[in-house]
Amino acid sequence: MNIEQMMTCIRECLECMKNSNQCYDAYLQEEEVNPMTACIRLTRDCADVCVLTDQFMTRNSEHMKEACVLCADICTRCAEECRNRSHEKAPVVDRLRRTDAACLVKHLLARIGPPARKA
């Protein structure tokens, strides 16, 4: 993988983090927050794992592949959960849905290979 591809993935991870935080904030503005608890946690997890993955990629961590796998999993689950939600903050949620971080991380994994299995 070249530097340009990695930088694209890093930018998308940071965009996903920003959108996840905006989604999280929008969910907290809902009148009934309690039913949104799982979704709120998932948007926070998504934002956090995007930052972690960005950091691992930026410093070429030996654990970058594992972080990318986790990021792709959480981002995909978050996008699926957001697709199941409809509320008045739809423009914020739509931005999160359109974020391609999970796809880019999966693309990155295809280039760097899956994490090594520990014996």
Side-chain angles (χ1 to χ4, degrees):
M1 170 186 9
N2 65 39
I3 273 292
E4 186 176 318
Q5 291 167 322
M6 185 178 284
M7 292 307 296
T8 298
C9 190
I10 288 169
R11 278 191 301 276
E12 288 297 325
C13 280
L14 292 175
E15 182 68 16
C16 184
M17 178 269 307
K18 181 185 83 176
N19 291 337
S20 294
N21 282 334
Q22 290 173 342
C23 207
Y24 164 80
D25 185 59
Y27 288 147
L28 289 177
Q29 303 302 317
E30 293 292 318
E31 287 183 27
E32 292 292 324
V33 174
N34 234 13
M36 304 293 290
T37 304
C39 195
I40 290 169
R41 285 188 178 125
L42 193 52
T43 57
R44 290 299 311 137
D45 288 349
C46 185
D48 290 346
V49 77
C50 285
V51 171
L52 175 72
T53 303
D54 166 61
Q55 292 172 344
F56 278 29
M57 284 189 289
T58 326
R59 65 178 178 249
N60 200 25
S61 168
E62 67 180 271
H63 302 288
M64 178 174 56
K65 293 177 185 180
E66 290 88 351
C68 288
V69 168
L70 183 62
C71 186
D73 179 51
I74 292 174
C75 287
T76 300
R77 288 184 20 212
C78 188
E80 288 168 0
E81 180 67 24
C82 282
R83 272 191 283 280
N84 296 328
R85 298 279 168 197
S86 63
H87 59 77
E88 62 193 49
K89 309 291 194 272
V92 175
V93 176
D94 284 343
R95 282 198 302 272
L96 179 59
R97 288 180 194 157
R98 288 193 307 265
T99 301
D100 291 329
C103 292
L104 281 167
V105 171
K106 287 177 183 177
H107 181 70
L108 170 67
L109 283 173
R111 294 191 176 281
I112 61 178
R117 301 274 181 195
K118 295 187 180 182

